[in-house]
Amino acid sequence: MRQTNIGVTLKMMDMSGKYLYTIRSANGVLVENLQIFGKSRNEADAKIRQMYWRCEILSCSLVADLSARAPNLKMQWLRPNAA
């Protein structure tokens, strides 16, 4: 009986995070540093194509993986000086 590690394969396919795009819009304008969140590259591509109809995707890279996020940081609120 052959065993396969499906969990690793599914984890590799699910690269959720922010994707950094460079595209050329339908009228020829170059749009750089466009960040889109997606559960996968295909979902992020679909969101790009909804916003920029008939665009050409020139480059795409994964910016942040959700599993590698830093822990939540607590913000200290500043109080105005009581005079």
Side-chain angles (χ1 to χ4, degrees):
M1 179 180 239
R2 189 174 142 210
Q3 291 183 343
T4 58
N5 195 347
I6 296 174
V8 172
T9 305
L10 292 176
K11 179 68 176 169
M12 291 171 61
M13 290 173 51
D14 184 26
M15 297 287 290
S16 61
K18 283 189 180 179
Y19 292 87
L20 181 67
Y21 284 90
T22 300
I23 65 168
R24 185 170 310 279
S25 66
N27 61 357
V29 175
L30 185 66
V31 181
E32 297 178 308
N33 297 324
L34 185 60
Q35 292 189 21
I36 300 294
F37 175 80
K39 292 180 182 176
S40 67
R41 166 79 192 268
N42 291 336
E43 181 180 307
D45 284 358
K47 288 181 179 182
I48 288 286
R49 296 194 190 281
Q50 284 178 347
M51 292 185 285
Y52 294 92
W53 189 63
R54 295 176 48 205
C55 72
E56 176 187 1
I57 296 175
L58 302 176
S59 69
C60 176
S61 60
L62 183 64
V63 174
D65 185 8
L66 289 180
S67 62
R69 282 197 302 187
N72 292 337
L73 300 175
K74 294 182 180 179
M75 296 185 70
Q76 181 179 3
W77 298 100
L78 299 177
R79 296 182 193 175
N81 292 336

